[in-house]
Amino acid sequence: MTTTQDDQTASDFSYKLSHFDLFSEADSLVKWEIFDWAREQAPVARTDGNGGFWVLTRYQDVRRVMEDWQTFSSTESPLVPTGLPSLAPIDDDPPFQNELRKLLNPLFSRSALAPFEQPMHDTARELIDGWIDNGRVEILNGYAGPYIGKMLTKVIFNDLSDEELAAAQSLALDVAEHPSAEVYAALFAMCTDYLERAKARGVTGDGLISRLINGRINGEPIGIEKQIGCLGIFVMGGLDTTRAAIGNITYRLTQNPGLEDRLRDPAWVRRDMDEFLRLDSPVAAMARVATRDVELNGVLIKKGERVQARFDAANRDPEKFRDPESLVFDEARSGHAAFGMGVHRCVGSNMARMQLEIGFEELLKRVKNIRLAPTAEIAWAPGQSNALHAVDIEFDRID
Ligand code: HEM
């Protein structure tokens, strides 16, 4: 029997998938090819990477898992164990998760966030002032990171110093790209310290900190571990995701010069933003653990085994989205998985959308002809986020 090139390719993909490691640089570089192959040939595939997972790449499987929290629990499921208290609400199941969401959701409605609109514009403008004369910038470090970080901490913490803010940002990036027990410990230490200081000086007004400290769930105060975990997940969930989205969208602008003008039309927010988030889903994957033996797409997943639901791969499933590797704007494309699905659907989606809207409004008012710098190297970073390592751009000034 002769081995054809197709057999060889299939065995390469099968091998890579069975050892797929979320935090491997090499695997990240070929992940789209691996997931395309997996979606067709092994949609529920076993990997020994990251402690062992079933990797799900089809939209319908990801949806089913996300919508059945009784069978696929969020407790004890992280992609990498933090060795630290759970991150509430992301590591909890209902009813506690639901109750905590009821407490948190009102803080992130569009109207609750309205007071932060002007500071977002101001922050974006100040950052652009810092590099506009250079005609170039690395968008993630020069714009997206500090813009998102400054605003997130304004919304969540109110009063971090610039130094503390920089430390929080760098921690969030480390957690996303190079998680380790030390990185998680540092993040939790920062949150613990902040909560202790807030309690000591007394919290006033309505916000995340006061709701965590003074809120009640079924008449009981929220325990300190949950308070710390919740702050931790807001730092992680709020910083790296939206930062990644700005980098990903900017990269797409460099690949198609016509897109810039499309985004200058405020209608892009309702019309096109979701399509960018679908194509390059900032959160690559989340995990769940099976609470019972369950069959998924013909594969038996045993009680206690973990699944890695790939939002990024689900969002490029041709069964769900026509021409999934392209931006397709002028047709209805509902139901993408970028903000998750089911009970854990992102609590910060309004804030993320607002930050993207204002971030690009300010950017595209001041610069045009955004293009990759000749030295730019475009590569996906490993980790739980679907982020580029760097997006070095050049541009022309408008004013
Ligand atoms: C483009 C930006 C963002 C994306 C793509 C995104 C994506 C997601 C996804 C996929 C989930 C579901 C996780 C799961 O099912 O286990 C989630 C949950 C969450 N997100 Fe976001 N997120 C973004 C921005 C934000 C922001 C700005 C914040 C904070 C203000 C935030 C805070 C959270 C929190 C706390 C959860 C946990 C919700 C729960 O478990 O009930 N996210 N996000």
Side-chain angles (χ1 to χ4, degrees):
M1 208 169 90
T2 54
T3 309
T4 65
Q5 202 177 356
D6 280 356
D7 290 337
Q8 186 57 47
T9 310
S11 99
D12 279 357
F13 280 134
S14 171
Y15 179 81
K16 282 186 178 130
L17 190 59
S18 62
H19 302 293
F20 182 78
D21 178 350
L22 198 63
F23 299 104
S24 146
E25 251 338 302
D27 286 357
S28 302
L29 295 178
V30 290
K31 70 177 180 177
W32 299 114
E33 289 92 325
I34 297 178
F35 297 150
D36 284 349
W37 182 84
R39 211 184 290 108
E40 281 206 2
Q41 306 295 332
V44 183
R46 193 71 197 160
T47 174
D48 59 14
N50 314 110
F53 275 100
W54 292 102
V55 180
L56 313 183
T57 43
R58 283 193 186 162
Y59 181 88
Q60 287 306 342
D61 293 340
V62 169
R63 168 151 236 140
R64 178 174 160 204
V65 165
M66 289 295 132
E67 291 184 344
D68 181 1
W69 61 265
Q70 286 98 338
T71 307
F72 297 100
S73 165
S74 289
T75 61
E76 309 295 327
S77 70
L79 285 177
V80 268
T82 62
L84 287 154
S86 73
L87 306 176
I90 214 163
D91 290 343
D92 289 301
D93 291 331
F96 180 84
Q97 184 268 350
N98 260 342
E99 295 302 319
L100 184 56
R101 285 292 298 260
K102 281 187 208 155
L103 206 65
L104 302 176
N105 287 347
L107 297 172
F108 296 92
S109 69
R110 193 73 206 211
S111 58
L113 292 168
F116 298 102
E117 264 181 47
Q118 193 53 48
M120 275 185 205
H121 283 282
D122 298 342
T123 305
R125 265 184 228 137
E126 275 165 30
L127 288 164
I128 295 168
D129 284 342
W131 41 255
I132 190 155
D133 289 337
N134 304 340
R136 61 179 297 160
V137 67
E138 194 288 290
I139 208 81
L140 289 167
N141 286 320
Y143 189 51
Y147 164 62
I148 298 303
K150 283 183 183 183
M151 285 319 304
L152 184 74
T153 45
K154 263 202 179 76
V155 174
I156 293 175
F157 295 108
N158 307 320
D159 56 357
L160 279 189
S161 68
D162 282 352
E163 264 176 26
E164 288 169 319
L165 169 64
Q169 269 182 260
S170 116
L171 270 176
L173 292 184
D174 278 353
V175 168
E177 290 183 15
H178 313 287
S180 66
E182 291 74 34
V183 171
Y184 285 116
L187 175 68
F188 279 73
M190 184 193 82
C191 294
T192 310
D193 179 56
Y194 186 85
L195 278 165
E196 277 169 4
R197 282 190 287 132
K199 284 176 193 168
R201 67 170 185 268
V203 273
T204 50
D206 190 17
L208 183 60
I209 305 294
S210 63
R211 287 195 179 209
L212 287 176
I213 292 177
N214 301 322
R216 295 281 180 278
I217 291 188
N218 298 327
E220 297 292 323
I222 299 166
I224 179 69
E225 288 202 344
K226 296 277 187 201
Q227 293 177 359
I228 297 168
C230 189
L231 275 189
I233 189 59
F234 268 91
V235 173
M236 287 190 263
L239 269 180
D240 193 42
T241 47
T242 324
R243 170 188 175 275
I246 291 183
N248 298 347
I249 295 174
T250 306
Y251 169 63
R252 294 291 165 190
L253 295 186
T254 67
Q255 299 306 291
N256 181 345
L259 281 182
E260 242 180 50
D261 279 340
R262 211 175 157 96
L263 267 64
R264 284 199 180 87
D265 177 351
W268 88 278
V269 173
R270 282 179 188 280
R271 198 185 49 194
D272 309 330
M273 190 188 281
D274 282 282
E275 180 59 0
F276 285 101
L277 295 171
R278 178 199 65 79
L279 181 63
D280 299 317
S281 313
V283 174
M286 287 299 296
R288 297 292 190 262
V289 62
T291 57
R292 59 176 174 88
D293 288 3
V294 55
E295 198 189 299
L296 190 65
N297 227 327
V299 174
L300 175 68
I301 296 176
K302 293 205 177 123
K303 180 178 176 178
E305 289 181 339
R306 295 185 301 163
V307 298
Q308 184 179 135
R310 301 289 321 187
F311 297 128
D312 51 4
N315 274 346
R316 292 187 181 199
D317 185 343
E319 288 285 313
K320 170 73 182 164
F321 302 105
R322 183 184 69 79
D323 193 7
E325 318 261 319
S326 309
L327 290 165
V328 177
F329 290 124
D330 295 316
E331 67 185 47
R333 299 265 240 186
S334 61
H336 70 71
F339 285 117
M341 295 155 158
V343 293
H344 289 275
R345 198 176 180 286
C346 181
V347 62
S349 61
N350 288 321
M351 180 161 163
R353 287 180 197 282
M354 197 169 145
Q355 286 179 306
L356 293 177
E357 175 180 354
I358 293 172
F360 280 102
E361 183 187 330
E362 291 300 335
L363 181 70
L364 295 175
K365 250 193 236 167
R366 311 279 299 278
V367 311
K368 62 182 177 185
N369 301 329
I370 296 177
R371 53 207 179 262
L372 282 181
T375 50
E377 283 177 26
I378 292 298
W380 294 103
Q384 203 162 344
S385 297
N386 210 17
L388 293 165
H389 272 298
V391 187
D392 271 302
I393 57 162
E394 293 182 347
F395 51 80
D396 301 324
R397 282 183 73 130
I398 289 180
D399 46 5

